[in-house]
């Protein structure tokens, strides 16, 4: 909501705060305190808050003290400036306008990587900032599985496109009604006015100052209802932060454990809850009240429509299945970018080629191609893979929740979502960053990273939706 | 716009930032640097930015290093907590609920005062934070003049109440139309979308991150048009910050010189511009278009109505004349509060007595009496007098502007406000905090603090409006 005129000052302010925070954290005295505390922490119960605080802070310090404060500030400052350049470039659909800023961001990221010990792959260092401890090789293995299983499946779905009609999802839906209905849903999930907000924005996100002040944003397009799913998505992020144990307030442990785990929560509420048939058994009559033009649509038809699989240009608009290939494309390009294996000026061309290869899509312009995402503008290389990891993790956790609460779908049909939310609090959210992402996943899902459940879920659900080889 | 749940964390964050900023500023190294720089600064041109930066920073340091960082942080933290208590107390109209928080705030302010050398009067120390260098005795002299001249004048106006009919100012005015019309006005003043915002709030204010990112807030009541005047008022504050010389960006000089000078700018746009007849010659046909129910009102009748003088309960709703007595009442009570001359529990009673004495008003409840203002909740004792000083100063500056631009009112009739804005930039705004408030007033008005012009302006204008002893 900031006026454009504030961008430069905002960049300076963020850089100043980042530099100060970084300097204070990496001060030798903090290092000495941590050295003293680590042996003490090892005498404590591993699960105690104090032990976790020492363990996690020592790890954060080990990473942070390698990066000179000037570099850290420069990355933040350049990111804020490049963001404005990206906004202009996207508007003009002209990658050339963004290129010099991207080059600067990549240079800074390469200097950043050089601060760390050589990893198996350069990209490991970037990944570690968003998904601590995850290796590029592990991600590649998961993504190779998705490619092997889902690319042929998408091709098969393409042959059954007639099975799903979503024409009624394109109409005239007044934004204020969309907002009202989105609020009706997320209020049932747990949104309250005294601790949450929902505001309009260009690029939806969830943010907040503390667990009792959660800000969700979404965007409303008059001609579709995406805002409803976007609101559920952001609720998932917000709910994770909201339910961190209050004992961790104002400690470095008071947030989600990783971006992948965070995304598992947003995707869970958006897709596993919000695109399920039981959910719509409760809400479909209600959305028909809100938008009378949906009055003649059947529940089953609606359910299929909101699960339609269709290769498309824009990642954030993509369906559950093809979404992953938008991510895989970026994951592959980013490795080449950080390794200087490609000329950045060639990015639009490389982008378009991969879109063609994975999704059979021709990219009409750079705005809807290589310029579509904000992430590279703030130097967020290594971020994208966590979106698909989130998908994978979401179903691992979901299967466990279903095992422990077999009546979960019956509750959804009654508009009851509190048991799910409380289960998530207990098995995941309350821990915050006490444990590594790996440990946290193990606690929540009872298993380590595994693409199997996600692939099964997608193929089962979409086979049913598209009537593909469904068992009788 | 923050959800209530964010208040505690926000308080902690503000206190942390305040403490860190304070600690960094009062560090011995800064003291040494300033000691070194002061003699150098004296060799520079007094009007140069560098000389001003050294001079003003030395003065800020001299004040700041007297206050222990813990006390400074405690005042900020308690202020944020007391604010929430004040909101609740006002809603319940129960001063008792606020009393313990006020007591704590006053204690902290007394500890704050003790950090400084004994002044002529205790209140001088508080006043100095908002109006540097101003003495309680000077304010008292100005206020005594206002009392002597304006109290009998108000009594006289009371006898001519029939001369002004403002019944049409109470109607049904849709907030979105109010916002649109307010924007139409302040856009002509200089508001642009790329550097300003206008948002709704409970208690209007102007804020911003830098001169090119100015945030105005206002509030809309369906049954009156106060939002229009409030928007002009906040524009005045915003315009001062907006027009500070860009060479002062990101220095301690990049803001207004004092609260009194700031208020002179908000009151100028609200009253000297926005309640003038030439202004309405241009805008009245336009407001009639926006609100057709005003179609049958005559311009002269409208002009008199928006200048109606009528003793009332609420400071922020008060007219130009009686407003000052809301301030004088608080100024007098605050001196007794900081001197422990009264029992805080007696405040409601003392408040009501003064309202009766000055304005002949009976206070029906504490919400509309002693609890009406936010200032004491954040410990802002010493702030109120600057409101009336702003009134006084506004007319001193106005007279000079009129002298130099005799066609100013003709320009208003054409909807032309750029020459006034640019004059203010040149004679006041661009200096920011380069000079003391006293020096700054001298530069802008060509005179030192003087209640004469303000009293003349008020009595001339209102005599005409009310047909009191008007010369033929």
């Amino acid at each position: 909501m900031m006026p454009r005129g504030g961008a430069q000052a905002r960049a300076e302010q963020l850089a100043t705060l980042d530099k100060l925070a970084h300097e204070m954290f990496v001060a030798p005295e903090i290092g000495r305190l941590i050295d003293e505390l680590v042996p003490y922490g090892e005498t404590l119960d591993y699960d105690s808050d104090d032990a976790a605080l020492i363990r996690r802070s020592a790890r954060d310090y080990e990473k942070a003290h390698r990066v000179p404060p000037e570099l850290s500030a420069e990355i933040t400052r350049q990111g804020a400036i490049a963001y404005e350049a990206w906004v202009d470039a996207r508007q003009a659909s002209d990658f050339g306008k963004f290129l010099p800023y991207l080059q600067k961001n990549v240079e800074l990221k390469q200097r950043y990587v050089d601060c760390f010990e050589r990893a198996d792959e350069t990209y490991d260092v970037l990944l570690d900032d968003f998904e601590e401890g995850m290796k590029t090789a592990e991600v590649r293995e998961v993504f190779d599985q998705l490619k092997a299983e889902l690319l042929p499946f998408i091709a098969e779905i393409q042959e059954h496109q007639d099975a799903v009609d979503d024409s009624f999802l394109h109409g005239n839906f007044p934004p204020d009604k969309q907002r009202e209905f989105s609020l009706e849903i997320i209020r049932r999930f747990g949104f309250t006015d005294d601790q949450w907000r929902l505001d309009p924005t260009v690029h939806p996100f969830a943010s907040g100052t503390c667990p009792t002040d959660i800000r969700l944003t979404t965007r409303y397009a008059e001609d579709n209802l995406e805002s409803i799913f976007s609101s559920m998505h952001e609720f998932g992020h917000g709910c994770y932060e909201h339910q961190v144990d209050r004992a961790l307030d104002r400690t470095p442990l008071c947030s989600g454990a990783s971006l992948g785990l965070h995304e598992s929560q947003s995707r869970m509420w958006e897709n596993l809850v919000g695109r399920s048939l039981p959910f719509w058994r409760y809400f479909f009559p209600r959305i028909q009240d809100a938008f009378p033009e949906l009055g003649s649509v059947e529940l089953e038809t609606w359910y299929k429509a909101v699960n339609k699989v269709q290769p498309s240009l824009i990642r954030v608009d993509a369906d559950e299945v093809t979404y992953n290939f938008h991510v895989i494309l970026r994951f592959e390009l980013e490795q080449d970018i950080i390794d200087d294996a490609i000329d950045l000026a060639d990015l639009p061309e490389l982008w378009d080629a991969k879109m063609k290869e994975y999704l059979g899509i021709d990219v009409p312009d750079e705005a809807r191609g290589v310029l579509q995402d904000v992430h590279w503008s703030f130097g967020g290389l290594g971020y994208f893979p966590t979106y698909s990891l989130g998908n994978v993790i979401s179903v691992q956790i979901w299967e466990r929740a279903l095992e422990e609460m077999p009546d979960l779908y019956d509750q959804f049909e009654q508009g009851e979502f509190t048991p799910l939310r409380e289960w998530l609090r207990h098995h995941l959210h309350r821990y915050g960053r006490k444990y590594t992402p790996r440990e946290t996943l193990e606690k929540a899902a009872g298993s380590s990273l595994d693409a199997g459940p996600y692939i099964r879920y997608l193929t089962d659900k979409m086979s049913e939706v598209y009537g593909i080889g469904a068992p009788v």
Side-chain angles (χ1 to χ4, degrees), chain A:
Chain A
M1 293 196 175
M2 179 175 74
R4 292 296 294 274
Q8 181 67 35
R10 179 86 178 154
E12 300 288 353
Q13 290 166 348
L14 287 174
T16 298
L17 278 176
D18 188 78
K19 179 156 177 287
L20 291 174
H22 190 90
E23 274 175 1
M24 293 171 101
F25 185 47
V26 302
E29 194 190 337
I30 302 284
R32 278 194 300 274
L33 285 170
I34 285 176
D35 285 346
E36 268 180 58
L37 280 168
V38 166
Y40 165 71
E42 284 163 1
T43 68
L44 300 174
D45 175 5
Y46 189 85
D47 292 320
S48 71
D49 290 347
D50 283 354
L53 185 56
I54 295 169
R55 212 162 55 221
R56 306 294 289 151
S57 298
R59 196 260 174 191
D60 290 346
Y61 179 81
E62 155 61 17
K63 279 199 78 164
H65 96 279
R66 292 171 171 271
V67 183
E70 295 70 28
L71 177 58
S72 176
E74 184 64 11
I75 289 172
T76 308
R77 182 189 300 114
Q78 276 299 330
I81 292 168
Y83 171 77
E84 295 299 315
W86 167 76
V87 169
D88 288 339
R90 189 168 77 153
Q91 193 154 23
S93 192
D94 183 353
F95 180 74
K97 287 190 173 184
F98 179 53
L99 181 58
Y101 297 91
L102 179 61
Q103 270 161 341
K104 182 79 191 159
N105 278 351
V106 171
E107 267 171 50
L108 289 170
K109 270 293 172 186
Q110 287 168 337
R111 282 173 54 200
Y112 178 81
V113 167
D114 289 342
C115 300
F116 296 89
E117 278 172 30
R118 247 195 124 64
D120 298 338
E121 304 184 47
T122 323
Y123 195 75
D124 286 354
V125 177
L126 301 183
L127 199 51
D128 193 77
D129 282 348
F130 304 105
E131 200 65 30
E132 178 196 337
M134 183 70 70
K135 295 289 172 194
T136 311
E138 288 177 277
V139 177
R140 195 177 292 119
E141 191 190 322
V142 165
F143 285 4
D144 282 348
Q145 259 184 286
L146 298 185
K147 278 186 181 177
E149 303 280 343
L150 297 181
L151 281 178
F153 186 59
I154 291 171
E156 203 175 348
I157 287 173
Q158 294 277 65
E159 288 165 20
H160 291 74
Q161 278 303 344
D162 294 348
V164 175
D165 169 23
D166 71 343
S167 55
F168 47 85
L169 285 178
H170 306 276
N172 192 335
F173 308 105
D176 56 332
K177 288 275 174 201
Q178 292 188 42
R179 177 179 151 82
E180 218 173 281
F181 187 69
S182 297
L183 275 172
E184 185 182 340
I185 293 174
I186 61 178
R187 281 190 211 284
R188 290 212 73 87
F189 290 176
F191 178 106
T192 58
D193 286 331
D194 63 332
Q195 307 203 334
W196 301 67
R197 281 187 62 89
L198 176 66
D199 288 287
T201 189
V202 176
H203 192 100
F205 61 90
S207 172
T209 64
C210 65
T212 49
D213 176 5
I214 304 291
R215 320 285 178 99
L216 310 182
T217 67
T218 191
R219 61 178 158 201
Y220 306 98
E222 288 217 36
D223 62 348
N224 67 54
L225 293 166
E226 280 308 312
S227 71
I228 292 167
F229 296 96
S230 158
S231 301
M232 290 192 266
H233 180 99
E234 300 308 335
F235 172 84
H237 283 304
C239 189
Y240 193 173
E241 299 288 318
H242 182 60
Q243 298 205 121
V244 173
D245 191 337
R246 299 303 304 272
L248 304 180
D249 265 9
R250 274 171 79 74
T251 74
L253 309 184
C254 187
S255 72
S258 75
L259 287 193
L261 281 153
H262 236 297
E263 193 71 8
S264 80
Q265 296 308 288
S266 55
R267 301 298 272 180
M268 184 178 289
W269 289 94
E270 175 191 0
N271 292 329
L272 298 169
V273 177
R275 293 185 208 268
S276 73
L277 188 54
F279 172 89
W280 285 111
R281 287 217 174 91
Y282 180 79
F283 277 111
F284 191 56
R286 288 167 171 81
I287 200 172
Q288 287 180 310
D289 284 349
F291 304 103
E293 63 191 281
L294 298 175
S296 60
V297 178
E298 295 292 326
L299 170 63
E300 295 277 334
T301 314
W302 170 265
Y303 166 67
K304 289 182 179 183
V306 299
N307 283 293
K308 185 175 179 177
V309 178
Q310 171 89 66
S312 63
L313 274 169
I314 307 296
R315 176 182 60 84
V316 297
D317 296 338
D319 60 78
E320 271 187 275
V321 186
T322 62
Y323 187 94
N324 301 293
F325 296 94
H326 292 271
V327 169
I328 291 170
L329 171 163
R330 288 155 176 79
F331 170 65
E332 292 170 349
L333 289 178
E334 284 187 342
Q335 293 170 64
D336 287 344
I337 291 172
I338 198 69
D339 284 333
D340 272 342
I342 55 172
D343 185 339
L344 291 182
D346 296 335
L347 260 183
E349 203 180 313
L350 294 164
W351 179 285
D352 296 356
K354 278 195 189 282
M355 278 300 284
K356 189 73 182 173
E357 180 190 348
Y358 293 143
L359 295 173
I361 294 262
D362 292 310
V363 178
D365 53 47
E366 290 170 347
R368 284 176 286 179
V370 68
L371 285 173
Q372 70 181 259
D373 286 308
V374 69
H375 305 62
W376 291 345
S377 82
F378 61 78
L381 283 95
Y383 190 126
F384 283 117
T386 64
Y387 288 125
S388 278
L389 294 176
N391 287 338
V392 167
I393 292 167
S394 73
V395 184
Q396 291 183 253
I397 297 173
W398 188 250
E399 287 200 345
R400 171 123 182 261
L402 273 178
E403 255 170 52
E404 298 195 2
M405 296 180 290
D407 65 338
L408 206 51
Y409 283 126
D410 301 329
Q411 291 166 10
F412 294 176
E413 284 191 29
Q414 309 302 317
E416 222 2 291
F417 303 92
T418 310
L420 172 62
R421 194 187 68 234
E422 289 302 320
W423 189 93
L424 290 169
R425 181 203 296 275
H426 188 75
H427 289 85
L428 172 59
H429 300 169
R430 67 185 169 111
Y431 299 128
R433 278 183 78 227
K434 275 183 72 169
Y435 302 103
T436 66
R438 219 175 277 275
E439 290 169 333
T440 309
L441 174 60
E442 190 70 44
K443 281 186 182 288
S447 56
S448 56
L449 189 67
D450 175 7
Y454 178 57
I455 291 172
R456 271 201 308 279
Y457 153 78
L458 276 185
T459 49
D460 285 357
K461 175 171 163 182
M462 297 311 175
S463 293
E464 193 213 331
V465 165
Y466 281 91
I468 298 172
V472 193

